Amino acid sequence: MIAITGATGQLGQLVIEHLLKTVPAEQIVAIVRHPAKAEALSQQGITVRQGDYTDPATLTTALQGVEKLLLISSSEVGQREAQHQNVINAAKAAGVKFIAYTSLLHADRSPLGLHVEHVATENALAASGIPYALLRNGWYTENYLASVPPALEHGVFIGAAGEGKIAAAPRADYAAAAARVIASEGYSGKVYELAGDNAWTLSELVAEVSRQSGKTVSYQNLSEADFAAALKSVGLPAGLADMLADSDAGAAKGGLFDDSHTLSQLIGRPTTPLSQSIKAIL
């Protein structure tokens, strides 16, 4: 059986959608914090089990009979190292034979502050003795597209990435890669640096938004501190605002760039271009 943690999350749902193309529903286990929110998965014949990253006992129970596990990284920045360790410990106790983990692009040398917890999890996997693969995901295109509507409203798109190249791809592309790795054989011991085929700067993103929308939008580059302050001023929690500003600053240093085309090679098609993603949201 194949299990996916965070199965009702944005990435988890897309992974399951891809898995169902090649794996019978009865061989898929969706591990979720709140089973009541997974009714749609149950109706498809998928086994839904309650499992909380912070509750080791639930994880050990949820992983019984599971051979392969896709560990989707927790969304709770600052708590992920301990949470992921709980999952790894439970997987070992349950006899899981393979883990694929959604890490961060070039985690071992990334300038993004997010890399710390990902590296800690990668080290924990190595120490566990369980065969594993690392899916080092680059940035999701959606991370920036969420800022397009307010940019159109105000005529300004703000950020702190300077002219840093961002090799992003939509979640669905990363989900397709994760589904392939977890459903197939021969990926143990592999490290995949996953990113979009065509990198772009925020200035280029904004130019494409202007072209497609017919509205003039400009890119305003801020310092990391000023960008964080701007995000907080519109209601983002301090931790999230600081993380996003740090990530933009990391992008300016090349932290979100990769031109290996590993993602497109893994999924057997080109990654979705930025222009197509913008067209979809407009």
Side-chain angles (χ1 to χ4, degrees):
M1 295 184 79
I2 297 171
I4 296 90
T5 66
T8 52
Q10 291 173 304
L11 182 62
Q13 291 185 70
L14 290 168
V15 171
I16 289 177
E17 187 178 308
H18 282 285
L19 273 179
L20 286 170
K21 297 174 183 177
T22 58
V23 178
E26 59 268 22
Q27 292 181 21
I28 300 173
V29 176
I31 298 177
V32 300
R33 184 175 292 183
H34 304 293
K37 296 181 179 179
E39 184 61 31
L41 296 177
S42 296
Q43 290 176 354
Q44 295 177 78
I46 293 167
T47 299
V48 174
R49 296 179 181 173
Q50 199 269 334
D52 191 321
Y53 286 125
T54 63
D55 188 342
T58 64
L59 295 168
T60 302
T61 300
L63 290 170
Q64 292 302 312
V66 169
E67 294 185 351
K68 295 180 175 182
L69 169 66
L70 175 64
L71 171 52
I72 294 179
S73 56
S74 163
S75 60
E76 297 176 293
V77 177
Q79 302 178 50
R80 295 194 284 191
E81 180 177 350
Q83 291 179 347
H84 296 165
Q85 185 68 66
N86 286 340
V87 178
I88 293 166
N89 292 345
K92 190 168 185 176
V96 172
K97 295 178 175 62
F98 175 75
I99 298 175
Y101 170 62
T102 60
S103 188
L104 175 70
L105 185 66
H106 300 300
D108 52 341
R109 57 181 175 84
S110 174
L112 278 67
L114 286 173
H115 88 281
V116 176
E117 290 180 300
H118 286 295
V119 169
T121 301
E122 291 186 4
N123 291 338
L125 283 167
S128 73
I130 301 171
Y132 66 94
L134 300 178
L135 305 174
R136 287 178 168 172
N137 287 353
W139 227 228
Y140 300 140
T141 307
E142 290 91 340
N143 291 354
Y144 285 114
L145 296 187
S147 299
V148 168
L152 287 170
E153 181 181 350
H154 300 291
V156 178
F157 188 107
I158 62 172
E163 290 304 303
K165 287 280 188 179
I166 300 163
R171 277 190 187 87
D173 289 355
Y174 294 105
R180 178 168 184 175
V181 169
I182 201 65
S184 308
E185 303 298 330
Y187 294 104
S188 179
K190 302 291 181 63
V191 178
Y192 294 99
E193 305 292 351
L194 304 176
D197 289 336
N198 302 299
W200 34 263
T201 65
L202 291 186
S203 295
E204 290 169 336
L205 179 152
V206 170
E208 182 63 21
V209 169
S210 296
R211 186 186 72 80
Q212 289 198 33
S213 68
K215 298 181 180 180
T216 301
V217 181
S218 61
Y219 173 58
Q220 183 178 359
N221 194 62
L222 306 174
S223 68
E224 180 181 344
D226 287 347
F227 184 38
L231 294 174
K232 293 170 189 174
S233 73
V234 295
L236 262 68
L240 177 59
D242 289 339
M243 182 272 285
L244 291 174
D246 172 84
S247 298
D248 254 28
K253 300 172 185 174
L256 295 179
F257 176 74
D258 180 87
D259 60 357
S260 67
H261 295 253
T262 304
L263 177 54
S264 57
Q265 292 165 18
L266 193 54
I267 63 178
R269 61 168 174 78
T271 58
T272 307
L274 176 65
S275 58
Q276 186 174 325
S277 296
I278 290 175
K279 182 179 181 180
I281 67 158
L282 292 179

